[in-house]
Amino acid sequence: MDKRCKLCASDRVRIIYEGVIRTGGLDKYTEQDVPMFQCENCGVIWHDPMLKNIDEYYESKKYRASMDEGSEEEVFYRNHDRETLDKLQYTGTTIFRDRTVADIGCGAGAFLDFLKGVAKNIVAIEPSEAFQKILSRKGFAAYSYTSAALTDWENQVDTATSFDVIEHVEDPLNFMCETYKLLSDTGTAIIGTPTDAPLMRKLLGECYEKQILFSTQHLWIFSGESLKQLAKKAGFSRIEVRYFQRYGLENLLGWCIEKRPKAEIKETFFRQEMDAVWKSSCSTHQTADYVVLYAGK
Ligand SMILES: [Zn+2]
């Protein structure tokens, strides 16, 4: 195949899937088959972008609507407040006090709300116009894009976080380079993104890939290795990745029995201890569904 990896330029690229993929929320699919490519060198998975004017799409209300979320503030918190505990698990709590913190792709600022009163300055970066006003109202320094925030905050951010964003951007290297520029010399970037959930793919194959994993909004699925390579290319030097399992045993068994998402088995015989073992085993063996990059200058 005459195709090169869009990240590392390797010619060891193969098609790992060709069929309809999710477009927006659950049960909505593309009309045409979409080839998914994987680079055998860095491991990244991608498809060619199908959305025209991607910036405009994320600025408008269309994106939230396609995810069945809407752009209302309360709906955002209802959907995203629960993620904060996970995010604090990725970041710890010691890198925010009296520091300048930026969150890239922060939505209505659910995570940043928990840092208010702790961080010295809060920089909120979010393209959605509907959320811009909310972020300014909260007293955050709000910007549509990192490139705009750089005017005021270049080399000044101590902690830059970004969760579930890099897989949406057309040019992840540029995303990484801009994040690098935001950071102070001792600053740290923490960037989290879903993996290809290797264990779920192995167990469920195409039904998992089609219904949940591959989607038009996710232009990329990174591996730890591809994230590390990208960070290195952007100039970062202190680079590390860690894996986290977000979905628990209830989700795994629901999928195995019903072959569809949202089929969680809510039985009491799944004790917290079992769930903890499942999650830590996925993290240790790098088969978890989420990967977080930690990188400094
Ligand atoms: Zn590659």
Side-chain angles (χ1 to χ4, degrees), residues 3-22:
K3 198 157 181 94
R4 285 185 177 269
C5 173
K6 283 166 83 176
L7 292 190
C8 75
S10 165
D11 60 1
R12 286 165 51 214
V13 171
R14 63 191 181 97
I15 293 177
I16 55 162
Y17 174 94
E18 194 157 15
V20 297
I21 64 171
R22 190 161 59 86

Side-chain angles (χ1 to χ4, degrees), residues 5 46 233:
C5 173
W46 78 95
K233 233 185 216 180

Side-chain angles (χ1 to χ4, degrees), residues 30-254:
T30 52
E31 281 169 20
Q32 280 157 358
D33 287 354
V34 178
M36 299 293 305
F37 304 100
Q38 182 163 31
C39 170
E40 288 179 357
N41 179 48
C42 73
V44 74
I45 296 170
W46 78 95
H47 62 74
D48 292 324
M50 276 164 278
L51 301 158
K52 303 273 174 255
N53 302 321
I54 199 160
D55 286 353
E56 208 174 281
Y57 175 64
Y58 286 113
E59 285 160 17
S60 71
K61 291 183 178 173
K62 247 187 276 169
Y63 166 58
R64 297 277 164 197
S66 77
M67 299 305 289
D68 305 322
E69 284 204 1
S71 300
E72 293 80 25
E73 195 173 351
E74 318 79 71
V75 179
F76 183 87
Y77 301 139
R78 210 182 308 137
N79 287 323
H80 296 280
D81 271 343
R82 66 173 75 97
E83 296 163 5
T84 295
L85 202 53
D86 285 343
K87 290 176 185 175
L88 286 172
Q89 202 192 317
Y90 312 146
T91 62
T93 53
T94 60
I95 52 168
F96 299 114
R97 190 170 296 278
D98 298 326
R99 312 262 175 96
T100 296
V101 177
D103 191 27
I104 304 166
C106 63
F111 179 57
L112 291 174
D113 287 341
F114 286 87
L115 304 182
K116 212 173 164 178
V118 175
K120 183 171 72 181
N121 300 301
I122 292 184
V123 182
I125 303 171
E126 169 57 46
S128 157
E129 285 171 358
F131 293 149
Q132 282 286 317
K133 293 183 199 105
I134 297 167
L135 296 164
S136 301
R137 188 195 73 213
K138 291 178 181 180
F140 302 151
Y143 302 88
S144 305
Y145 292 98
T146 306
S147 52
L150 280 170
T151 320
D152 299 327
W153 299 96
E154 187 163 0
N155 288 319
Q156 293 178 61
V157 171
D158 301 301
T159 307
T161 57
S162 180
F163 302 108
D164 305 288
V165 174
I166 194 169
E167 66 275 13
H168 294 265
V169 306
E170 270 193 295
D171 188 345
L173 180 60
N174 183 53
F175 176 92
M176 237 8 137
C177 289
E178 288 183 343
T179 307
Y180 179 92
K181 283 185 198 160
L182 269 185
L183 287 186
S184 67
D185 291 346
T186 53
T188 304
I190 302 176
I191 297 171
T193 184
T195 68
D196 68 334
L199 207 57
M200 299 298 271
R201 281 180 73 197
K202 201 169 188 178
L203 287 169
L204 296 150
E206 211 178 291
C207 90
Y208 182 79
E209 296 173 337
K210 176 190 152 188
Q211 292 184 83
I212 200 90
L213 185 66
F214 300 148
S215 77
T216 53
Q217 278 87 2
H218 289 188
L219 303 177
W220 310 92
I221 302 171
F222 293 96
S223 59
E225 185 53 35
S226 53
L227 271 185
K228 281 199 271 188
Q229 287 195 20
L230 200 60
K232 208 171 165 192
K233 233 185 216 180
F236 285 101
S237 54
R238 292 176 281 123
I239 301 169
E240 190 198 335
V241 294
R242 281 183 228 158
Y243 288 83
F244 295 89
Q245 178 65 23
R246 293 188 297 183
Y247 288 95
L249 272 179
E250 297 176 340
N251 178 268
L252 165 73
L253 289 204

